[in-house]
Amino acid sequence: MLGSSLLPSRLRSIGRQDGAAKVGYLNRRISPLLQGLSRRSCTHPIHIIVFVALLASTSYIGLLEGSLFESGRGSKDASKGIDMTALVEGGRSLKVGLETGWKWQSELRGHIEDTSAEHLVLITLVFPNSLSNNSPQTAPLAEAVPISKNSSARPLPSTSNPFSPISQDTALAFSVDSNEAAAFINELQELPEHNELAQDLDARKWVMNANRRGPGSQNALRNWASNAWTEFVDLLKNAESLDITIMVLGYLSMHLTFVSLFMSMKRMGSNFWLATTVLFSSVFAFLFGLIVTTRLGVPINMVLLSEGLPFLVVTIGFEKPIILTKAVLSASLNSRRQDTRPGNEPNGISVGCNANTIQGAVQAAVREKGFEIVRDYAIEVAILIAGAASGVQGGLRQFCFLAAWILFFDCLLLFTFYTAILSVKLEINRIKRHVTLRRALEEDGVSRRVAENVATSNEWPRPEKENGTVDQPGITVFGKRVRDSSVPRFKVLMMGGFILINVVNLCTIPFRAGNKNAAPPIVSGISGVVTSPPIDPFKVAENGLDFIYTMAKEHQKTTVVTILPPIKYELYSSSLSSFTEEDASIFDVDYRDQLFDVVGGKVIEGVLKSLEDPVLSKWIIVALTMSLILNGYLFNAARWSVPNEHTPIDRHAVEPVIRPKAAPIAPSQHGRTPTDCEQIVRENMAAILSDDELLALAVRGRIPAHALEKTLDDPKVMTKLASLTRAVKIRRGLISRNPATAETSALLEGSKLPYEDYNYENVHGACCENVIGYLPLPLGVAGPLVIDGQNFYLPMATTEGVLVASTNRGCKAINAGGGAVTILTGDGMTRGPCVAFSTLKRAGAAKLWLDSDEGQKVMKAAFNSTSRFARLQSMKTALAGTYLFIRFKTTTGDAMGMNMISKGVECALNVMMEKNGFEDMSIISVSGNYCTDKKAAAINWIDGRGKSVVAEAIIPGDVVRKLLKSDVNAMVELNVAKNLIGSAMAGSIGGFNAHAANIVAAMFLATGQDPAQVVESSSCITVMKNYNDNLQISVSMPCIEVGTIGGGTVLEPQQAMLDLLGVKGAHTSNPGDNARKLARIIAASVLAGEVSLCAALAAGHLVRAHLAHNRSVAPTRSSTPVSAALQAGPNRSQIQEGLTMTTAR
């Protein structure tokens, strides 16, 4: 509906499909403006934050000196008396007489036309806490109040309030002719304390709050807060119970809104900062709106704010920042799965950047939600403007005017200040992920350079080129590349700016203190704010009004009474004259110097005064400290990762030429002799030599084959990747020309083994040495398979035909029963060192100490000190003569963790030997085969190693018959006979399964795991039961040794497969979750493979497939294992589902 577009987003239906409506004219015009604004905020977030904070500070100073806090140059001076206008503005006028039927009638101030009536002013003096038994304060008596002889003032009976027992105030009431009221109040500025024991001249005095002069703005906030609290108590005294209940509910709802904001942001990954930023943004918008409203002359009082703000917060809420944050996070997540292509922008609005960057993600979110957010703001502002233009009295018009300005500034700050903070938050998270992954890889034994490359390649967001395209992974801060020179330059600018600010501050002190005679700003407590709300006269002075009413009726005279707000007093040990200007701040003077008469002087004045405000000075210090820490963190984190700058050489000089066979080495084309070439190598300039010259040197033994990468590494000549690729090429030529192996290796250089277009940076120093290329391996996927309620495709790298197809059939069967359920029963990698002692007695003592609580505590502390991720869980010891074997079991985060554990074990053993009385212990081996690693062992089968997982599925009986072409009982019997009894007869350890190693090996190769650990990782027992005519199948795998960082997972193709499973890299919030999830997926995959193969064996399909398969014939469509198995099936329905294995296990 057309009208639905006028409603805020939370009141509209969210079921509308994307792209259902065309982009409107306003959307096409407004969205690019919002995108440009947000882009600048994301590109220069620190500038935006500082600028907004500076404006907010200046606004705060303006409010201190303006009408809101009643401080400024326009306040009444003590010598000129009290500002009666402010008092009358906050009072009420009542009239009683014959024309009113002798009933009190309210009169508008300034519209009292009866000149014959008697005009009185009713004044109430309040002395706080003067009735307390524990208080030495004593209020003056009515008789002690100085009244001149010719004055018409007379005391009246005072009126108590319901809060008197709590507040313990004393009140005095007086009536005086309206023409004498100002003079009478001036005489009451100081009243002596009623204390019979005080005889000295320096006795304490009650001083009127309105005339208590402090040292300027240094006490402005404190006095304002005190006055505001006093006015709040007065309001509470005069309020109705229903009003109090409504306000309590309003404030409760407002705080619940704050809680909801923090909970919403926490669900999006920010526990504190984003929600706090939203509150800061709202406070800044409030300050800006308040300063604009007061400068435009609209009266705003604190009571009105306290009543209206809770309902404004509740009705408007913080929906829009939450919507924008969700949109930014959604855009960033979507960009990781799909590329943004030119011309495919939603709504037909071009972004001009890629969503793979922080700026791009923010702009994509602004493009998607920006117009809707601005439209909602516009609707809300329009409604408030209508309220401000209405004729409703009672402060509604003023508050609507203020609220409209607040929403305007809130909208502006949302796309500037908040987006700047959001970009900083995303940038910090990016750097933290980068550093965490790099350190985890280093702890797992990966070299720093490879760890940096892997962390950079996994980095999101990607750096952005100047033309808006996404560059290769690199080191950036806020979308800009950081070089080594950026860090010192930043430090110089930061320190220079800090010094400049202090110099300007010191140099302007004489100018700011130039007018010594100027009256310092003061704080008036009479009105508290611009216009105090009308009081209830009968609650303030009911007894006095009764007295005046009686006298007026007795004399039959019309009387008009103006009831002033209660005037508060405070007890001081000194009088007004003791408050001098000596303690006033140099910033509390009236700036009249010509320095501030120039354009922009007011702004400079506000900024300079903000530096000495008691609140803002601390705020500025905190802000500067946080800015220094933030910038230092960002640039130091960037410096940790800044690689050396490389200058690429001509591609034609790097690309190797594939020769069909080993050819003789051509003479140098540059006229260099072998001696010259050797000299160039000694000078570490080998990269400038040609391939033939390098090959000739390698053949003569002048360059070792294993040192080619190091020899050719020269950033000034070529990139790191180019030098590594060139080293592989030279090594291939060297092996082809080795006379000792010429019979077998001569064809390597021109063979079909590929070596180009591969990222050897992640290989060198991490995965392989003496590299001569890489082996492509067929990769397939089975599934999807439902595992714990989530669908997964299963990547499998294998050369065994129909393995993927058979596993795929198992996935279908498991999905038909609702999917697989997995349980993780253990998580702990092990390392079992062997230590030796000279005697059995000493070895036994060491075993007892290690098994004791003290030994466990000492070893755990030593082990845990070596890593942020590895945590020692337990130690198991065993003696063999004088040899002691210790099996350390630890968590390793998302790494498989062998290197990480070895480092911790070595440290713990050294602590045991050096600090705990076992100096005679000798370490035979850090790994004593008690782990046990890469070998089938009963200890792994019993105690577990790595991740211990159990996976289960219940397959309906009809699915077993129709899809698996078998029978539940037949499969149960086959499992008992083959997997259990057969394996037991063979004395198998952990081999109670059909072919778990097939699936484990295929997935290990696909995901970059250690293939050698398939030995223990494939330990599995398969159990099948007839469960109500359904097949209940489970696999228990106690030692799945996997990781998602380190080892082969640093290779890009393997990372892509981990990303396919959603477990790439380290888990962002809970280290170890990705590795545990991968173990669950592998166990469920084994379950699918077991189901399919056992069904094929039970149905006899596998044997018939082997008999039909002729391995001497080249693979064709009619003679593959798949087609043979299908032809051997009992019916044609097997064409789609009868996929079996090529070999029985």
Side-chain angles (χ1 to χ4, degrees):
M1 295 178 60
L2 180 61
S4 64
S5 63
L6 300 177
L7 297 175
S9 58
R10 59 177 154 182
L11 301 180
R12 296 193 298 267
S13 173
I14 61 176
R16 184 184 64 185
Q17 296 181 352
D18 294 339
K22 294 183 178 180
V23 179
Y25 174 81
L26 292 178
N27 193 349
R28 292 195 300 270
R29 293 296 180 267
I30 294 177
S31 292
L33 298 178
L34 297 176
Q35 289 177 259
L37 190 64
S38 62
R39 180 176 180 83
R40 286 169 175 79
S41 300
C42 294
T43 307
H44 307 286
I46 303 299
H47 301 74
I48 296 296
I49 295 171
V50 172
F51 179 72
V52 171
L54 186 62
L55 286 182
S57 304
T58 307
S59 301
Y60 167 77
I61 290 295
L63 290 175
L64 278 182
E65 296 182 344
S67 57
L68 181 68
F69 302 129
E70 284 300 311
S71 63
R73 307 179 185 90
S75 299
K76 266 286 184 180
D77 186 75
S79 62
K80 298 181 181 179
I82 297 299
D83 187 0
M84 282 298 296
T85 303
L87 280 173
V88 174
E89 286 288 336
R92 290 283 296 276
S93 295
L94 299 177
K95 181 179 181 180
V96 67
L98 184 63
E99 59 271 26
T100 64
W102 293 106
K103 294 182 180 180
W104 289 109
Q105 178 178 324
S106 179
E107 292 286 327
L108 295 176
R109 293 188 295 270
H111 294 80
I112 303 175
E113 300 177 355
D114 191 353
T115 57
S116 62
E118 181 180 11
H119 294 265
L120 300 178
V121 176
L122 198 155
I123 303 170
T124 303
L125 310 180
V126 179
F127 304 91
N129 201 31
S130 56
L131 293 178
S132 174
N133 294 329
N134 299 326
S135 175
Q137 303 177 7
T138 305
L141 301 177
E143 296 79 8
V145 176
I147 302 177
S148 59
K149 296 181 179 179
N150 56 352
S151 174
S152 61
R154 59 176 180 266
L156 297 176
S158 59
T159 303
S160 61
N161 60 79
F163 289 86
S164 292
I166 301 176
S167 60
Q168 298 178 338
D169 298 345
T170 300
L172 298 178
F174 295 88
S175 66
V176 65
D177 188 84
S178 59
N179 296 325
E180 304 176 6
F184 178 69
I185 293 177
N186 282 330
E187 295 175 358
L188 303 181
Q189 292 183 27
E190 292 185 2
L191 296 176
E193 180 187 15
H194 179 66
N195 191 342
E196 298 177 355
L197 299 179
Q199 302 295 333
D200 57 324
L201 297 178
D202 294 331
R204 296 186 300 177
K205 294 184 179 182
W206 289 96
V207 180
M208 191 179 296
N209 274 358
N211 294 277
R212 194 267 192 250
R213 308 290 189 222
S217 64
Q218 290 186 353
N219 286 330
L221 183 61
R222 181 177 61 190
N223 292 340
W224 168 81
S226 175
N227 295 335
W229 172 253
T230 302
E231 292 179 2
F232 172 74
V233 173
D234 292 340
L235 180 66
L236 200 62
K237 294 175 182 178
N238 301 321
E240 298 291 341
S241 300
L242 180 60
D243 296 336
I244 296 176
T245 303
I246 294 175
M247 289 305 302
V248 169
L249 292 177
Y251 274 93
L252 180 62
S253 301
M254 180 179 70
H255 286 85
L256 289 177
T257 304
F258 295 153
V259 173
S260 175
L261 169 65
F262 276 88
M263 293 180 64
S264 298
M265 291 301 184
K266 185 176 182 179
R267 285 193 293 268
M268 289 184 283
S270 175
N271 295 330
F272 176 78
W273 286 110
L274 289 185
T276 304
T277 300
V278 173
L279 296 182
F280 267 108
S281 179
S282 300
V283 170
F284 290 166
F286 169 73
L287 288 175
F288 296 153
L290 199 57
I291 192 68
V292 171
T293 303
T294 54
R295 289 294 185 257
L296 292 177
V298 178
I300 299 294
N301 59 76
M302 192 56 62
V303 176
L304 185 62
L305 293 178
S306 63
E307 291 178 349
L309 282 180
F311 298 98
L312 178 65
V313 171
V314 172
T315 54
I316 302 302
F318 303 103
E319 177 196 26
K320 300 173 186 67
I322 294 175
I323 290 176
L324 183 61
T325 305
K326 286 182 178 179
V328 171
L329 296 180
S330 297
S332 64
L333 292 176
N334 292 336
S335 68
R336 300 184 67 182
R337 296 293 180 181
Q338 58 184 8
D339 294 330
T340 302
R341 297 178 175 84
N344 290 342
E345 295 86 356
N347 301 335
I349 302 172
S350 177
V351 186
C353 71
N354 196 297
N356 284 324
T357 64
I358 290 178
Q359 295 86 351
V362 172
Q363 285 195 279
V366 172
R367 177 192 60 204
E368 180 183 358
K369 297 293 184 180
F371 177 73
E372 295 182 7
I373 293 175
V374 172
R375 179 180 58 191
D376 291 350
Y377 271 118
I379 294 171
E380 293 161 352
V381 170
I383 294 174
L384 291 172
I385 291 176
S390 65
V392 180
Q393 299 297 325
L396 178 62
R397 298 174 60 190
Q398 293 87 341
F399 184 79
C400 287
F401 187 82
L402 170 64
W405 278 109
I406 292 176
L407 290 186
F408 169 77
F409 286 111
D410 192 54
C411 178
L412 184 62
L413 292 176
L414 177 63
F415 294 102
T416 54
F417 179 74
Y418 180 73
T419 54
I421 295 288
L422 184 59
S423 65
V424 171
K425 175 68 174 175
L426 292 175
E427 188 72 25
I428 292 176
N429 288 344
R430 178 185 70 84
I431 294 176
K432 287 174 64 177
R433 288 194 302 269
H434 180 100
V435 174
T436 300
L437 178 57
R438 192 202 69 210
R439 289 179 175 175
L441 290 170
E442 290 178 354
E443 288 185 8
D444 196 41
V446 179
S447 66
R448 182 182 181 88
R449 182 187 57 78
V450 176
E452 177 62 35
N453 291 337
V454 174
T456 303
S457 64
N458 285 300
E459 192 172 274
W460 184 92
R462 296 294 178 86
E464 186 178 9
K465 287 183 180 178
E466 307 223 340
N467 58 5
T469 61
V470 177
D471 198 357
Q472 294 298 322
I475 309 307
T476 61
V477 173
F478 301 126
K480 296 183 177 180
R481 287 195 174 274
V482 177
R483 303 179 185 270
D484 287 327
S485 59
S486 301
V487 178
R489 184 168 62 249
F490 162 74
K491 292 181 178 179
V492 170
L493 293 176
M494 184 173 59
M495 295 302 299
F498 183 78
I499 295 173
L500 180 62
I501 290 176
N502 285 276
V503 169
V504 172
N505 189 19
L506 293 174
C507 292
T508 54
I509 287 178
F511 300 98
R512 288 179 274 157
N515 193 347
K516 294 290 184 181
N517 297 323
I522 60 174
V523 176
S524 174
I526 294 179
S527 63
V529 285
V530 177
T531 306
S532 298
I535 61 173
D536 187 345
F538 294 100
K539 289 189 176 182
V540 173
E542 180 179 6
N543 295 338
L545 288 174
D546 290 343
F547 181 84
I548 294 175
Y549 175 84
T550 302
M551 297 299 297
K553 192 169 184 181
E554 180 180 345
H555 294 88
Q556 293 292 308
K557 186 173 183 180
T558 302
T559 303
V560 177
V561 182
T562 300
I563 302 93
L564 300 183
I567 300 176
K568 301 285 184 177
Y569 282 79
E570 289 187 25
L571 191 62
Y572 295 98
S573 59
S574 56
S575 63
L576 280 172
S577 59
S578 62
F579 296 107
T580 64
E581 296 179 358
E582 295 178 0
D583 297 329
S585 169
I586 59 175
F587 287 144
D588 295 330
V589 298
D590 187 9
Y591 300 106
R592 292 291 184 263
D593 196 89
Q594 293 181 358
L595 175 67
F596 298 107
D597 290 338
V598 297
V599 177
K602 296 295 182 181
V603 177
I604 299 176
E605 175 184 350
V607 172
L608 294 175
K609 296 192 72 175
S610 66
L611 297 176
E612 277 210 0
D613 184 85
V615 175
L616 283 184
S617 61
K618 298 178 179 62
W619 154 252
I620 292 173
I621 291 175
V622 172
L624 286 175
T625 303
M626 292 186 65
S627 177
L628 289 174
I629 294 174
L630 174 62
N631 284 279
Y633 174 80
L634 291 174
F635 280 88
N636 280 330
R639 185 182 60 183
W640 297 335
S641 306
V642 171
N644 294 328
E645 294 296 328
H646 302 309
T647 304
I649 63 170
D650 187 6
R651 180 175 179 84
H652 297 288
V654 178
E655 289 187 350
V657 179
I658 300 179
R659 298 184 178 92
K661 61 180 181 179
I665 302 175
S668 174
Q669 300 296 325
H670 302 279
R672 288 188 286 256
T673 64
T675 304
D676 295 336
C677 294
E678 292 177 12
Q679 180 62 29
I680 291 175
V681 171
R682 284 193 291 269
E683 294 174 356
N684 296 324
M685 299 174 59
I688 67 174
L689 298 176
S690 67
D691 292 347
D692 291 327
E693 290 172 334
L694 290 170
L695 186 55
L697 291 173
V699 169
R700 294 200 305 271
R702 297 299 185 265
I703 302 177
H706 66 273
L708 284 169
E709 287 82 2
K710 181 179 179 180
T711 304
L712 293 176
D713 188 13
D714 190 348
K716 298 179 180 179
V717 178
M718 65 181 69
T719 63
K720 184 71 175 181
L721 179 58
S723 65
L724 293 174
T725 305
R726 194 178 183 195
V728 172
K729 175 191 174 184
I730 302 300
R731 184 177 291 111
R732 289 162 65 102
L734 174 61
I735 293 174
S736 298
R737 289 169 174 80
N738 189 338
T741 60
E743 184 178 351
T744 58
S745 62
L747 299 179
L748 174 63
E749 188 176 16
S751 67
K752 293 186 179 296
L753 176 69
Y755 72 95
E756 296 178 297
D757 302 322
Y758 194 78
N759 186 5
Y760 292 104
E761 291 189 71
N762 293 344
V763 177
H764 180 61
C767 297
C768 188
E769 298 77 32
N770 286 337
V771 180
I772 60 172
Y774 58 92
L775 286 173
L777 191 65
L779 179 68
V781 291
L785 175 61
V786 178
I787 306 173
D788 297 323
Q790 186 176 356
N791 284 280
F792 294 94
Y793 276 106
L794 311 176
M796 303 174 68
T798 181
T799 57
E800 181 172 352
V802 302
L803 175 61
V804 176
S806 179
T807 307
N808 190 71
R809 185 175 71 153
C811 293
K812 291 181 181 179
I814 293 174
N815 291 342
V821 178
T822 65
I823 294 177
L824 187 80
T825 60
D827 181 9
M829 182 53 64
T830 62
R831 175 61 87 193
C834 174
V835 298
F837 293 87
S838 58
T839 64
L840 178 61
K841 183 177 180 180
R842 289 294 294 161
K847 173 178 170 58
L848 292 176
W849 183 82
L850 287 170
D851 292 340
S852 66
D853 292 340
E854 179 188 358
Q856 295 276 338
K857 182 178 180 181
V858 171
M859 297 294 279
K860 182 174 291 187
F863 185 95
N864 294 346
S865 66
T866 62
S867 172
R868 297 185 304 145
F869 302 99
R871 292 293 178 266
L872 182 60
Q873 294 176 328
S874 63
M875 291 186 299
K876 183 176 182 178
T877 58
L879 269 177
T882 58
Y883 293 108
L884 177 63
F885 295 86
I886 313 166
R887 192 172 193 256
F888 290 77
K889 190 172 186 179
T890 74
T891 59
T892 56
D894 284 303
M896 190 273 292
M898 290 306 302
N899 295 322
M900 192 184 301
I901 298 177
S902 298
K903 182 171 62 175
V905 167
E906 190 174 37
C907 177
L909 292 178
N910 288 332
V911 170
M912 175 183 174
M913 188 166 49
E914 297 171 1
K915 298 182 180 180
N916 292 279
F918 295 100
E919 294 83 358
D920 56 336
M921 182 181 78
S922 61
I923 302 175
I924 303 300
S925 174
V926 174
S927 177
N929 275 6
Y930 194 53
C931 314
T932 295
D933 187 33
K934 299 179 176 66
K935 290 167 284 291
I939 193 169
N940 291 344
W941 178 247
I942 296 170
D943 289 345
R945 189 170 192 257
K947 277 67 177 173
S948 300
V949 183
V950 180
E952 179 202 54
I954 298 177
I955 304 173
D958 59 339
V959 175
V960 175
R961 291 187 295 271
K962 296 179 181 179
L963 179 61
L964 300 178
K965 311 304 178 185
S966 185
D967 179 76
V968 173
N969 293 327
M971 292 187 65
V972 171
E973 183 181 7
L974 179 137
N975 182 70
V976 172
K978 169 184 167 61
N979 295 337
L980 304 183
I981 300 176
S983 297
M985 292 293 292
S988 176
I989 299 177
F992 302 94
N993 56 80
H995 69 146
N998 250 337
I999 287 83
V1000 172
M1003 295 200 68
F1004 268 37
L1005 291 173
T1007 57
Q1009 310 304 315
D1010 189 344
Q1013 290 182 324
V1014 173
V1015 175
E1016 62 265 39
S1017 296
S1018 59
S1019 297
C1020 171
I1021 181 169
T1022 302
V1023 178
M1024 295 186 189
K1025 293 181 180 179
N1026 187 326
Y1027 182 77
N1028 297 330
D1029 294 331
N1030 301 320
L1031 178 64
Q1032 183 183 39
I1033 179 173
S1034 65
V1035 292
S1036 301
M1037 307 181 69
C1039 39
I1040 302 178
E1041 300 168 4
V1042 293
T1044 58
I1045 61 175
T1049 64
V1050 303
L1051 303 177
E1052 293 173 349
Q1054 283 76 2
Q1055 286 182 356
M1057 293 303 98
L1058 290 173
D1059 203 18
L1060 177 69
L1061 297 173
V1063 294
K1064 177 182 176 182
H1067 195 274
T1068 56
S1069 58
N1070 191 16
D1073 275 3
N1074 280 354
R1076 288 186 282 268
K1077 186 176 181 180
L1078 177 58
R1080 292 173 181 266
I1081 294 172
I1082 291 175
S1085 304
V1086 170
L1087 187 69
E1090 292 288 283
V1091 167
S1092 182
L1093 178 57
C1094 290
L1097 290 171
H1101 299 170
L1102 188 67
V1103 177
R1104 288 197 293 270
H1106 271 282
L1107 293 176
H1109 181 60
N1110 184 358
R1111 295 187 181 271
S1112 64
V1113 180
T1116 63
R1117 183 175 183 82
S1118 61
S1119 63
T1120 60
V1122 178
S1123 60
L1126 295 178
Q1127 293 171 4
N1131 53 60
R1132 300 296 297 174
S1133 63
Q1134 287 184 246
I1135 294 178
Q1136 298 297 326
E1137 300 159 344
L1139 307 180
T1140 59
M1141 305 300 301
T1142 59
T1143 57
R1145 298 289 186 268

